Amino acid sequence: MLAIAGGKGGTGKTTTALGLATVLGAARDRASGRTAAAREQASGRTGAIGRGVLVVDADVDVPDLHAMAGVAREPTVLEDPDGLAVPDRPGVRVAPAPPAAATSAFRDRLRALAALDDEVARGRRHTRRVLVDAPCGAGPDAALPMAVADAVLLVTRPTVAAVRDTAKTAAMARALDTPLAAVAVVESTADRPPAENPSTADRPPTESPSTPHRSLSDVFDVDDVVRVPAVDDDPLEDGAHAASMRRLRRSVYPGQTPF
């Protein structure tokens, strides 16, 4: 189980969760060699938890993963832990967040999903990956997904305020003894310089204008920092964004086939 977390809202955390799930779903299709007909059949209810990529929305106060994925708000992860098939994203399912009043039941559900994920992983072949879109901040709701996950993917903007807030999230993950897998630095069109040099456009953001004396790898004490470029249109339909998600997949699951 991978928790996708950040220090504040508006960093692109939910988009990153769905983008990473998309490339993982595509990798599963390639690994299994499924035909278009098989993918279409798999996009419906299989009745078998543990296949494909499941993305769980853990933000009970401001749930938005279902809207971005184009699925219904209900049933939530409490009623249907298998999730809902995401249109046009083979192998990807989304489990919407439950009501805020169901915190205790949601805690138990996340722990059950993590335990099942561990059971699947003990076999030498993964049949499912579980991603949890965690709430931003450093409160108990944000801590819960990180506490049950195997690793944390941090998502931040390349600004002083965002990096500082995300560093607090990183400290919380370490306090919970959950390792950091990587950091995704999500740019926006507002971050673009007046004339970006094409020769440096794909260079990883090891240095940021917001942190001139320390690399982001040093700030977060991680090996992998992946730049997610600014795009003008829907990032989930953009080739450059998809390429950054593939780089992120290789950082999060280094040296292994996702399925």
Side-chain angles (χ1 to χ4, degrees):
M1 177 181 282
L2 178 71
I4 301 174
K8 61 191 305 181
T11 60
K13 178 172 54 62
T14 298
T15 303
T16 299
L18 194 54
L20 180 58
T22 299
V23 299
L24 285 169
R28 181 177 185 272
D29 274 359
R30 289 193 299 271
S32 62
R34 288 188 297 176
T35 64
R39 288 196 298 269
E40 182 177 352
Q41 181 180 8
S43 67
R45 172 171 295 280
T46 64
I49 299 173
R51 297 186 182 277
V53 185
L54 176 67
V55 191
V56 180
D57 191 348
D59 194 338
V60 299
D61 292 321
V62 190
D64 61 355
L65 176 62
H66 67 283
M68 183 175 292
V71 302
R73 176 68 181 90
E74 295 178 339
T76 73
V77 66
L78 295 184
E79 295 86 33
D80 185 4
D82 200 17
L84 303 169
V86 178
D88 302 319
R89 301 191 187 280
V92 179
R93 305 181 75 86
V94 160
T103 301
S104 178
F106 182 45
R107 183 185 304 112
D108 292 341
R109 174 66 74 197
L110 274 186
R111 288 173 175 164
L113 286 170
L116 179 59
D117 197 43
D118 289 341
E119 182 178 340
V120 170
R122 278 195 288 271
R124 295 188 177 179
R125 186 174 180 84
H126 286 273
T127 59
R128 181 184 67 171
R129 294 288 185 179
V130 178
L131 313 181
V132 182
D133 184 12
C136 59
D141 289 347
L144 173 60
M146 291 191 284
V148 301
D150 299 300
V152 175
L153 168 62
L154 296 174
V155 181
T156 185
R157 289 276 307 280
T159 64
V160 171
V163 168
R164 286 175 178 168
D165 286 340
T166 307
K168 296 175 184 177
T169 304
M172 182 166 63
R174 292 191 180 92
L176 294 167
D177 291 325
T178 307
L180 301 179
V183 177
V185 181
V186 181
E187 299 179 348
S188 74
T189 53
D191 298 321
R192 285 175 173 164
E196 186 172 63
N197 183 351
S199 66
T200 62
D202 293 327
R203 188 172 297 170
T206 55
E207 295 290 338
S208 165
S210 61
T211 55
H213 302 297
R214 297 181 64 190
S215 72
L216 293 180
S217 293
D218 290 339
V219 170
F220 296 111
D221 193 21
V222 296
D223 294 329
D224 294 307
V225 178
V226 177
R227 174 180 180 262
V228 180
V231 297
D232 293 316
D233 300 316
D234 181 357
L236 294 174
E237 302 298 330
D238 183 85
H241 186 273
S244 70
M245 291 298 102
R246 289 190 290 272
R247 290 194 295 271
L248 195 58
R249 188 204 81 190
R250 292 192 293 269
S251 293
V252 173
Y253 305 107
Q256 58 179 296
T257 302
F259 293 97

